[in-house]
Amino acid sequence: MEGLYLGLGTIGLAFFVLGGIFLIYGLRRTRPIRNWEKTSGTIIQKEKNLVITLGKILRNESFSQDIPDRYPTVEYEVNGQTYTNTSKISQQPGLKPGRIVEVLYNSNHPEQAVINTFVQRGSLFTLLGSIFLTLACIFLTMILIVYFLY
């Protein structure tokens, strides 16, 4: 019976730690941007993606491709000045170059910006953190039920 407690407790603790980390990161990312201004921006290609194949060499095609960057870069304008911001969060599938997106920016420091998508805002981290913490509570409840029933 002690093995069951140890197993459920270990799994519950792992979910609790992961949930706490994800939730804190998500909240730290989403909280400051709640009062930021909105504008539109364009996804631009920052990384040069080269794909070299025998077929491209024989057909004399270009080796560069318009594959979306792993870390999307957005170009936006605030008060007549153009800014460029590269995300610190990787997103798959990536945002295609030329796509118009909504951008949230800090009106006091317009160079600080976030692409307004579920992943880039940090909402995914908040959701995962909530799920993991819920699972941790379920495992804790299972331990208590088993303890009091036996």
Side-chain angles (χ1 to χ4, degrees):
M1 195 56 85
E2 287 183 19
L4 178 65
Y5 295 139
L6 183 62
L8 290 176
T10 303
I11 293 170
L13 181 63
F15 279 131
F16 181 78
V17 170
L18 280 174
I21 290 170
F22 276 105
L23 188 64
I24 289 169
Y25 183 77
L27 291 175
R28 287 189 60 172
R29 182 141 176 105
T30 57
R31 219 171 244 167
I33 65 174
R34 287 184 183 169
N35 298 321
W36 286 9
E37 301 293 325
K38 294 180 182 178
T39 188
S40 61
T42 305
I43 300 296
I44 61 171
Q45 186 87 28
K46 189 170 184 182
E47 299 173 358
K48 295 294 182 196
N49 298 302
L50 299 178
V51 176
I52 301 173
T53 63
L54 184 59
K56 286 188 177 229
I57 293 171
L58 294 175
R59 290 187 301 265
N60 200 21
E61 292 179 2
S62 172
F63 296 130
S64 66
Q65 281 189 321
D66 286 337
I67 299 172
D69 295 340
R70 288 180 296 148
Y71 298 92
T73 300
V74 64
E75 185 175 83
Y76 59 99
E77 188 174 306
V78 176
N79 298 327
Q81 185 167 353
T82 302
Y83 295 93
T84 302
N85 185 288
T86 301
S87 176
K88 294 178 179 147
I89 297 178
S90 175
Q91 181 169 338
Q92 293 297 330
L95 300 172
K96 293 186 179 182
R99 179 177 170 187
I100 305 297
V101 293
E102 188 174 79
V103 178
L104 301 172
Y105 70 92
N106 184 343
S107 58
N108 296 326
H109 301 282
E111 67 280 357
Q112 295 176 349
V114 172
I115 300 168
N116 194 12
T117 65
F118 186 73
V119 173
Q120 297 298 319
R121 276 192 318 264
S123 299
L124 178 64
F125 295 104
T126 305
L127 176 65
L128 288 175
S130 299
I131 291 170
F132 287 149
L133 286 174
T134 301
L135 289 172
C137 290
I138 289 170
F139 279 100
L140 176 62
T141 304
M142 288 171 59
I143 291 171
L144 292 174
I145 289 171
V146 170
Y147 178 77
F148 286 115
L149 287 180
Y150 295 103

